[in-house]
Amino acid sequence: MRPPIALVVVTVVVVVLSGIDATVETTCKAAADEDTHVNYVFYVSELRKHHRSYNADTWGLAKVAANMGVNNAYGAIHDIEGLLVKPNMDAKMKVVLEKCQELYNKMKFALAGAYDEINSRNYAIRKEEVAKAVSLAHECDDAFMKAAVPSPLNQHSFYSEQIVIVCTAITNFIK
């Protein structure tokens, strides 16, 4: 037995008005349409992992993205600390990991600063902070390339770049 059409219409209206499963996808779609660098699948899957994304508006999603960038930087620092205590660490690898630890620590503060600026609705300074974060991730990647050692931080680097793209794309929608 099919539900009455009026019930279906009311349910759809309630879902749309409440923003359930629409805000993240709608914002992600708009961002991907606006900026070819936005990876829609990454954007939706990552933002959906954060508990605050479910009821967030665009401003809230920008803060979620910045917060996720901070969390990624913390994760990179934690991974680096674990690698640095391994016995028989290659000297070149150790030097690069220590440099990257410093860079990810700076990234953590840059993204926390971006979060604060988004929260204060100061979007111009936010752009500077997130740009700084991507630059720091690239600096770490470059250090591994220059030392000719494989990076164990590729996933963190990729995530940093993607989450900054997301954060930037979202805040570009906020007026």
Side-chain angles (χ1 to χ4, degrees):
M1 179 178 224
R2 295 174 60 188
I5 292 179
L7 180 60
V8 172
V9 170
V10 168
T11 303
V12 168
V13 169
V14 167
V15 166
V16 169
L17 290 178
S18 68
I20 297 171
D21 283 342
T23 305
V24 170
E25 287 78 5
T26 303
T27 305
C28 295
K29 175 79 170 95
D33 289 347
E34 190 75 23
D35 183 347
T36 58
H37 296 99
V38 173
N39 179 332
Y40 176 82
V41 173
F42 173 86
Y43 192 157
V44 171
S45 68
E46 288 307 308
L47 289 183
R48 276 285 174 218
K49 291 177 184 177
H50 198 285
H51 68 281
R52 290 190 180 150
S53 70
Y54 289 93
N55 296 317
D57 58 5
T58 306
W59 177 63
L61 288 174
K63 292 192 303 181
V64 165
N67 181 254
M68 294 179 83
V70 170
N71 292 342
N72 177 63
Y74 270 113
I77 292 164
H78 176 76
D79 289 351
I80 292 167
E81 288 169 351
L83 291 167
L84 286 171
V85 297
K86 286 189 171 184
N88 302 324
M89 170 65 63
D90 176 71
K92 285 195 303 187
M93 176 67 88
K94 183 176 181 179
V95 169
V96 175
L97 285 172
E98 287 171 343
K99 178 171 181 63
C100 288
Q101 184 176 29
E102 178 184 320
L103 293 168
Y104 273 95
N105 195 47
K106 288 179 182 178
M107 181 189 302
K108 171 184 70 177
F109 286 112
L111 289 166
Y115 178 94
D116 290 343
E117 296 305 331
I118 293 165
N119 197 41
S120 300
R121 298 181 188 272
N122 188 348
Y123 306 118
I125 293 176
R126 180 272 319 155
K127 285 184 181 185
E128 293 172 20
E129 295 298 320
V130 295
K132 208 183 300 179
V134 169
S135 173
L136 294 165
H138 290 163
E139 196 174 331
C140 176
D141 293 341
D142 291 346
F144 280 107
M145 286 195 321
K146 287 177 187 170
V149 294
S151 173
L153 304 174
N154 286 334
Q155 193 61 29
H156 289 291
S157 177
F158 170 80
Y159 191 95
S160 297
E161 188 167 340
Q162 290 301 308
I163 206 69
V164 164
I165 289 169
V166 167
C167 186
T168 301
I170 296 170
T171 53
N172 285 340
F173 288 126
I174 303 170
K175 302 297 178 212

